[in-house]
């Protein structure tokens, strides 16, 4: 375990040099001893209703001559929701569970000390998770499975997605075999990849597109464009009904089709980070992107340019007419990178350039940075809280571009969420110019701003995101929420375009369809993100209120099997059930969530919110979990539901005799007066009635 803290820094610094999952040692392997190799990388991407369900199976082999602790790194799209994590050792399949992050790491370290076989999957930051494995024996092979769901990007009549496949020099050899299968329904007319050659095959419910390679070193991620058979992808509503909770979850996709009848004049302020870390190709690409945006301005548009390092430089002095852009294209080419990063003052200066009047103009702030705030006010919460009211007062739409791994993702995410914009992350090797100009093309013709959305008919609750919203022609706005009965649903979308106000109505029907569990996970992910922002940035919350928010996040994470900065996946053979490979019914089967996480209802887990001082309704006794259910600490084991309980009177002679015979039972009794646990294959329940004497206890145990 030595050097693990240093490894965390290494992972964060090098996160973008790989894309598919990779196993690395947390310390250098001596030259000539070999390393880890990836024998296979199998992917199944199933697309339905604009959602991609992705199942990845990878096999790694320890080619070194020593026992290792391995660190498995895996990037995921920022919109993805992980639904399964398993590790295979031979014919044994060990499934993970979601636990509070600090507890999961503590248990992992305890098991490592016992030379067992745990694995820990942790949230490291935006688009990156980490799994720790120990021990990884010389010559041993291990398989890892991760499943996630991801809403696809929509533009006009096509969907698009990127599957991360790039790999770096951590592996000592090419991937033995790569197999990627994309399954689409007949509603998709074509699947095209500009990066990899796929071949088409018919299937029973649609078509499959296959990519195969051997001894393969990926040079790029897999880009996919899925074209609909319709001229336009319609607005839609997907649902999932949970019988156990007697409620449903919906994913509403609104795609406005307002034709551009009049040109809406725009005010565009481009804010460019010119700190020292932008030096070189990043700065050259950013300048070319700015030039391209200036060239795309229309008659009647206005622009301004602000750069910042340790200080803020208002280059144009204010908004200028688009006719003056030619001279500024030449000036942009002379911009140089140097200094620190003063994000706070850069935002304040650029927002102040917009008028609080001019309601008929569309106002856009394009903000590009590659780092964290290091000069002036650096507190993330204050930057957001001070910028947001000023931007809203001027009806400014803020679009952020994060370049590289040094950016504070929650800062950029929150800025655009609060100010009706979008965020784009540009990793090493990606083209900044292309990303900026592509996004500008989508916002060049706004469909609706100041959008309000109301839902009538069936009762709905906890609809997210809460807004503010803006809609762009051909681009999708997705909302998630909860409904309580089947029936008709009317969605009313209202907003302004220029000086005109528009109203649109969409009619859908919600049903008790239990076949789309990923819809529930997407809502839970949005709810967790919403609560996390409250936890981080709501300065009015008391310490007790923040703890309640945190416990709700943990409760949702456990119920819906989602990891974040508050929770982690833990695979611990001492704690979780195992199965065989035959239980999977094929590599493309969707694993049941019940097999991955403790089956606790939301109502039960909400008890966590009201327990103060760090207490919880889930505790561990020597790595075995106990859940508090109606005042009884119940061992977290499926056999508890099948075994006949044996009652034992609290504080009787039999009670103390059993504690004397087992240190573990003694610790269990320390949980409280009411416990239910398995000992010697029997289920014991401590209560005020039952066995009292040592003789009765001996008779049962023998």
């Amino acid at each position: 375990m030595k050097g693990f803290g240093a490894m965390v820094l290494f992972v964060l610094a090098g996160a973008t040099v790989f894309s598919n999952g990779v196993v690395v040692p947390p310390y250098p392997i001596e030259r000539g001893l070999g390393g880890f190799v990836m024998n296979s990388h199998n992917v199944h991407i199933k697309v339905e209703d604009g959602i991609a369900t992705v199942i990845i199976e990878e096999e790694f082999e320890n080619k070194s001559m020593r026992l290792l602790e391995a660190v498995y790194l895996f990037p995921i799209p920022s919109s993805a929701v992980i639904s399964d994590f398993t590790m295979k050792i031979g014919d044994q399949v060990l499934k993970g569970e979601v636990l509070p992050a600090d507890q999961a790491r503590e248990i992992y370290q305890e098991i490592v000390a016992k030379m067992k076989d745990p694995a820990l999957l942790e949230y490291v930051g935006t688009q990156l998770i980490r799994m720790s494995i120990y021990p990884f024996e010389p010559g041993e092979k291990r398989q890892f499975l991760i499943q996630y769901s991801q809403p696809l990007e929509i533009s006009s009549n096509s969907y698009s997605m990127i599957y991360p496949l790039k790999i770096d020099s951590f592996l000592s050899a090419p991937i033995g075999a790569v197999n990627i299968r994309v399954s689409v329904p007949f509603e998709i007319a074509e699947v095209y990849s500009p990066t990899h050659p796929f071949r088409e095959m018919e299937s029973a419910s649609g078509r499959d597109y296959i990519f195969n390679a051997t001894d393969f070193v990926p040079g790029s991620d897999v880009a996919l464009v899925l074209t609909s058979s319709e001229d336009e992808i319609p607005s839609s509503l997907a649902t999932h009904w949970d019988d156990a909770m007697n409620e449903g979850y919906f994913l509403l996709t609104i795609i406005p089709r307002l034709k551009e009848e009049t040109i809406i004049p725009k005010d565009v302020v481009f804010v460019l980070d010119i700190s020292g870390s932008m030096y070189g190709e990043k700065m050259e690409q950013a300048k070319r992107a700015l030039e391209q945006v200036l060239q795309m301005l229309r008659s009647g548009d206005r622009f301004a340019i602000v750069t910042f390092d340790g200080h803020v430089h208002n280059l144009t002095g204010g908004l200028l007419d688009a006719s003056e852009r030619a001279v500024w294209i030449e000036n942009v080419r002379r911009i140089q990178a140097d200094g620190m990063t003063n994000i706070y003052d850069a935002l304040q200066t650029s927002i102040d350039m917009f008028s609080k009047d001019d309601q008929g103009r569309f106002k856009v702030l394009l903000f590009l940075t590659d780092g964290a705030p290091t000069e002036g006010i650096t507190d993330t919460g204050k930057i957001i809280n001070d910028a947001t009211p000023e931007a809203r007062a001027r009806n400014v739409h803020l679009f952020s571009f994060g370049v590289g791994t040094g950016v504070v993702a929650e800062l950029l995410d929150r800025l655009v969420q609060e100010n009706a914009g979008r965020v784009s992350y540009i990793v090493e090797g990606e083209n900044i110019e292309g990303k900026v100009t592509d996004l500008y093309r989508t916002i060049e013709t706004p469909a609706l701003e100041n959008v309000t959305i109301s839902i009538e008919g069936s009762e709905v609750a906890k609809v997210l995101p809460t807004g503010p919203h803006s809609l762009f022609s051909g681009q999708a706005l997705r909302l998630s929420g909860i409904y309580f009965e089947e029936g008709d649903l009317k969605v009313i979308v209202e907003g302004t375009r220029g000086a005109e106000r528009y109203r649109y109505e969409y009619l859908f029907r919600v049903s008790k369809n239990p076949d789309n569990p990923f819809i529930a996970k997407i809502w839970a992910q949005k709810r967790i993100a919403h609560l996390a922002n409250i936890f981080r940035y709501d300065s009015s919350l008391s310490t007790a209120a923040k703890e309640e928010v945190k416990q709700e996040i943990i409760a949702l994470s456990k119920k819906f099997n989602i990891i974040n900065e508050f929770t982690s996946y833990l695979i611990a053979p001492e704690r979780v059930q195992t199965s065989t490979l035959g239980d999977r019914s094929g590599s493309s089967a969707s694993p049941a969530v019940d097999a991955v996480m403790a089956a606790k209802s939301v109502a039960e887990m909400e008890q966590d919110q009201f327990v103060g001082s760090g207490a919880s309704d889930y505790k561990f006794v020597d790595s075995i979990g106990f859940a508090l259910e109606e005042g009884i600490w119940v061992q977290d084991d499926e056999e508890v539901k099948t075994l006949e309980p044996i009652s034992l009177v609290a504080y009787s002679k039999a009670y103390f005799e059993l504690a004397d015979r087992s240190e573990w039972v003694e610790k269990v009794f320390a949980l409280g007066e009411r416990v239910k646990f398995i000992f010697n294959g029997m289920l014991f329940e401590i209560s005020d009635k039952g066995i009292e004497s040592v003789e009765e206890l001996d008779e049962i145990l023998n």
Side-chain angles (χ1 to χ4, degrees):
M1 298 297 291
K2 276 189 176 181
F4 186 83
M7 180 59 192
V8 174
L9 296 177
F10 168 74
V11 169
L12 290 172
T16 59
V17 294
F18 63 89
S19 286
N20 60 321
V22 60
V23 164
V24 298
Y27 44 79
I29 296 179
E30 296 177 27
R31 186 178 298 275
L33 293 182
F36 291 106
V37 298
M38 185 189 294
N39 293 330
S40 61
H41 182 88
N42 300 315
V43 185
H44 184 203
I45 302 172
K46 184 177 181 181
V47 175
E48 189 172 3
D49 295 327
I51 305 290
T53 300
V54 183
I55 301 175
I56 305 108
E57 289 191 275
E58 298 176 314
E59 180 182 90
F60 290 89
E61 184 174 353
N62 180 5
K63 288 288 190 178
S64 77
M65 300 171 61
R66 59 188 293 183
L67 181 147
L68 297 174
E69 177 186 11
V71 178
Y72 175 78
L73 308 172
F74 189 85
I76 60 170
S78 58
S79 59
V81 180
I82 299 177
S83 57
D84 188 35
F85 163 49
T86 64
M87 178 173 66
K88 303 176 186 176
I89 309 173
D91 290 338
Q92 191 179 49
V93 177
L94 301 175
K95 293 184 175 290
E97 63 177 318
V98 173
L99 298 173
D102 53 350
Q103 294 182 13
R105 170 139 290 280
E106 181 181 350
I107 295 168
Y108 171 79
Q109 291 171 341
E110 288 178 357
I111 299 173
V112 165
K114 300 176 184 177
M115 297 290 287
K116 298 293 185 180
D117 286 312
L120 178 67
L121 190 68
E122 299 176 294
Y123 176 95
V124 177
T126 299
Q127 298 177 283
L128 179 65
I129 54 177
R130 174 186 65 218
M131 180 173 71
S132 305
I133 314 111
Y134 184 87
F136 208 134
E137 302 280 354
E140 184 178 28
K141 297 177 182 178
R142 294 201 182 194
Q143 295 83 39
F144 304 101
L145 180 145
I146 291 180
Q147 176 176 326
Y148 64 82
S149 297
Q150 171 192 359
L152 300 180
E153 292 291 325
I154 297 176
S155 179
S156 188
N157 72 327
S158 65
Y159 302 99
S160 62
M161 70 172 290
I162 298 291
Y163 173 71
L165 186 66
K166 281 188 301 185
I167 197 163
D168 69 342
S169 58
F170 282 129
L171 291 182
S172 58
I175 303 175
V178 174
N179 299 283
I180 302 175
R181 176 160 59 107
V182 182
S183 299
V184 298
F186 288 116
E187 289 77 15
I188 299 297
E190 181 186 21
V191 174
Y192 166 69
S193 172
T195 58
H196 293 75
F198 281 78
R199 68 179 189 277
E200 180 181 345
M201 297 178 61
E202 291 289 332
S203 67
S205 57
R207 284 180 298 277
D208 285 350
Y209 292 80
I210 311 294
F211 170 78
N212 301 110
T214 56
D215 294 327
F216 187 65
V217 179
S220 68
D221 292 338
V222 179
L224 295 170
V225 179
L226 301 85
T227 305
S228 171
S229 56
E230 304 292 332
D231 291 337
E232 295 180 340
I233 296 174
S235 299
S236 61
L237 183 74
T239 63
H240 171 70
W241 183 259
D242 186 335
D243 278 324
M245 296 300 298
N246 197 32
E247 64 186 20
Y249 303 87
F250 67 83
L251 178 64
L252 172 65
T253 302
I254 298 293
I255 307 175
R257 298 299 179 188
L258 182 65
K259 294 184 178 179
E260 185 179 4
E261 298 172 351
T262 58
I263 303 298
I264 305 299
K266 296 183 295 299
D267 289 342
V268 182
V269 176
F270 198 102
V271 186
L272 176 61
D273 183 349
I274 61 169
S275 60
S277 57
M278 284 289 293
Y279 182 81
E281 180 59 23
K282 284 192 290 187
M283 178 55 63
E284 295 306 310
Q285 284 196 38
K287 290 192 293 184
R288 289 196 297 269
L290 175 50
E291 290 178 29
Q292 183 67 25
V293 170
L294 291 174
Q295 291 171 350
M296 294 167 70
L297 293 173
R298 303 185 186 193
S299 176
D301 291 346
R302 298 185 300 193
F303 71 94
I305 302 172
V306 174
T307 62
F308 67 97
D309 43 29
H311 303 280
V312 179
H313 312 281
N314 186 347
L315 300 187
T316 58
L319 288 163
L320 304 177
D321 189 84
S323 61
E324 301 184 48
R325 61 190 169 190
V327 66
W328 281 99
I329 289 175
E330 292 300 320
N331 292 339
V332 164
R333 292 170 182 168
R334 293 193 290 269
I335 294 174
Q336 299 295 318
D338 190 24
M340 305 289 280
T341 309
N342 191 337
I343 290 178
Y344 181 92
D345 288 339
L347 286 171
Q348 293 296 318
T349 298
S350 56
I351 291 170
D352 285 344
M353 299 176 76
F354 295 95
S355 169
K356 292 186 179 180
D357 300 317
D358 299 330
Q359 295 302 315
R361 303 183 70 84
F362 186 71
K363 302 170 185 178
V364 179
L365 193 156
L366 301 176
F367 179 76
L368 188 149
T369 181
D370 77 331
T374 58
E375 186 76 12
I377 295 173
T378 59
D379 179 75
T380 299
K382 184 166 179 58
I383 293 172
I384 294 166
N385 292 334
D386 288 358
T388 295
E390 293 299 321
R392 287 187 175 181
R394 294 163 172 79
N395 200 28
V396 173
H397 304 265
L398 200 155
F399 295 81
S400 295
F401 300 88
V403 181
T405 58
V407 295
V408 180
E410 60 263 30
L411 170 61
L412 302 188
D413 288 348
R414 188 65 169 168
L415 281 171
V416 302
Q417 289 167 7
E418 294 289 344
N419 298 286
R422 293 175 63 187
V423 65
S424 182
Y425 291 100
I426 305 165
V427 299
E428 185 176 320
E430 284 192 290
N431 186 280
I432 297 174
E433 179 184 0
K435 283 266 192 170
V436 175
T437 54
D438 283 350
L439 185 138
Y440 187 77
R441 287 190 183 96
T442 68
I443 66 176
E444 197 176 14
T445 55
L448 290 176
E449 56 181 323
N450 303 312
V451 172
T452 60
I453 298 174
S454 55
I455 300 176
E456 299 177 355
S458 296
E459 181 186 357
V460 298
K462 296 183 179 179
V463 179
L464 296 166
T466 57
H469 304 297
S470 285
L471 296 176
F472 302 94
S473 185
Q475 302 296 308
L477 170 66
R478 287 188 169 101
L479 300 176
S480 293
I482 299 174
Y483 66 98
F484 302 99
E485 57 186 15
E486 58 185 356
D488 294 329
L489 207 66
K490 179 192 288 187
V491 180
I492 302 168
V493 179
E494 296 182 277
T496 58
R497 188 173 188 273
E500 300 293 326
R501 187 157 187 86
Y502 295 83
R503 172 189 170 100
Y504 299 90
E505 293 185 1
Y506 301 84
L507 297 177
F508 303 103
R509 183 167 183 81
V510 291
S511 64
K512 293 187 176 181
N513 170 26
D515 298 329
N516 300 315
F518 61 85
I519 300 296
K521 288 182 175 294
I522 289 172
W523 172 83
Q525 180 84 318
K526 290 182 181 294
R527 176 67 177 170
I528 288 170
H530 175 72
L531 292 171
N533 283 327
I534 293 174
F535 181 88
R536 295 188 193 109
Y537 306 123
D538 191 340
S539 57
S540 67
L541 289 182
S542 65
T543 301
K546 286 193 71 172
E547 180 63 21
E548 289 181 9
V549 172
K550 178 180 177 181
Q551 292 302 328
E552 183 177 354
I553 292 172
I554 292 173
L556 286 168
S557 299
K558 291 193 292 185
K559 174 176 172 57
F560 291 96
N561 205 30
I562 296 171
I563 66 170
N564 45 66
E565 64 262 50
F566 300 97
T567 58
S568 299
Y569 269 115
L570 176 70
I571 284 183
E574 295 181 355
R575 290 181 38 75
V576 299
Q577 293 185 329
T578 62
S579 60
T580 64
L581 290 175
D583 295 330
R584 296 202 57 79
S585 301
S587 62
S588 63
S590 298
V593 174
D594 288 345
V596 183
M597 52 169 285
K600 298 180 68 183
S601 69
V602 169
E604 290 172 335
M605 286 191 289
E606 281 179 345
Q607 296 177 52
D608 288 351
Q609 298 180 47
F610 306 107
V611 180
S613 222
S616 171
D617 68 348
Y618 200 96
K619 295 184 178 181
F620 300 95
V621 178
D622 290 348
S623 300
I624 296 177
F626 283 79
L628 186 60
E629 301 177 3
E630 299 180 353
I632 303 174
W633 287 101
V634 181
Q635 185 172 330
D636 190 359
D637 192 307
E638 288 295 313
E639 289 191 3
V640 170
K641 301 176 183 178
T642 60
L643 294 174
E644 187 70 22
I646 300 169
S647 295
L648 193 68
V649 176
Y651 309 120
S652 64
K653 291 183 178 179
Y655 174 95
F656 289 113
E657 178 64 19
L658 189 58
D660 287 339
R661 295 186 184 186
S662 169
E663 291 184 7
W664 179 78
V665 170
E666 185 178 3
K667 294 175 184 178
V668 170
F669 288 169
L671 291 173
E673 292 186 0
R674 302 289 304 280
V675 292
K676 188 181 289 187
F677 61 97
I678 297 173
F679 179 71
N680 276 10
M682 291 174 281
L683 177 63
F684 286 89
E685 181 175 9
I686 306 303
S687 65
D688 53 3
K689 295 181 180 179
I691 295 173
E692 295 185 72
S693 69
V694 174
E695 290 76 18
E696 291 175 291
L697 177 64
D698 285 338
E699 183 176 345
I700 290 174
L701 292 177
N702 294 329

